[in-house]
Amino acid sequence: MSSKLGFVWNILARYKYLITVVVGVAVVGFIDDNSFLRRIQYDLQISQLKDEIKKYNAQNEQATNALRELRRTPKAIERIARERYFMKADDEDIYVLSTDVQPAGEDQNQPIESNEAIK
């Protein structure tokens, strides 16, 4: 038993610097809060956030241009009122096309019975 312990102690004494370096690299590279793996994750997260910043800056620029256009021309206000709020002039008709799915219980193709029409 003591010969096995002496053999292990001899290997540890001989390779103490190598063991220290390997353990140090393992701690710094993988285990620590400031590890290389964590740094790579942070770099990926930073690049994703920068992409989001670019996207939101583009949206902000579009909204700013639209607001600038609304302030300059009254025709733009009229166009938005027609598109979003279905407003119309007196001599116009509006047709709204919808892609909504009808509920399964209601069938609008059935004719109205005469009793229901009187009510």
Side-chain angles (χ1 to χ4, degrees), residues 13-27:
R14 184 177 295 168
Y15 298 111
K16 61 185 169 189
Y17 296 114
L18 179 64
I19 293 171
T20 304
V21 168
V22 169
V23 170
V25 167
V27 167

Side-chain angles (χ1 to χ4, degrees), residues 38-69:
R38 190 81 46 120
R39 181 183 167 116
I40 292 170
Q41 289 173 349
Y42 289 150
D43 287 340
L44 290 174
Q45 186 178 7
I46 287 171
S47 67
Q48 289 173 351
L49 291 174
K50 284 183 180 180
D51 291 340
E52 284 186 33
I53 288 171
K54 287 179 185 177
K55 180 181 77 169
Y56 289 130
N57 282 337
Q59 285 180 356
N60 184 26
E61 187 67 31
Q62 289 175 353
T64 303
N65 290 338
L67 181 62
R68 198 174 299 134
E69 181 185 353

Side-chain angles (χ1 to χ4, degrees), residues 3 12 25 28 39 45 56 66-67 78 83 96-97 105 107:
S3 65
L12 288 176
V25 167
V28 171
R39 181 183 167 116
Q45 186 178 7
Y56 289 130
L67 181 62
E78 182 180 340
E83 289 175 1
V96 179
L97 304 175
D107 189 12

Side-chain angles (χ1 to χ4, degrees), residues 66-104:
L67 181 62
R68 198 174 299 134
E69 181 185 353
L70 286 174
R71 288 183 179 164
R72 288 183 186 167
T73 60
K75 292 274 187 185
I77 295 172
E78 182 180 340
R79 181 178 49 85
I80 288 177
R82 288 173 186 250
E83 289 175 1
R84 293 188 187 167
Y85 303 112
F86 305 116
M87 294 184 174
K88 66 178 185 98
D90 291 333
D91 60 344
E92 294 178 338
D93 292 327
I94 294 179
Y95 297 98
V96 179
L97 304 175
S98 177
T99 59
D100 294 340
V101 177
Q102 296 294 328

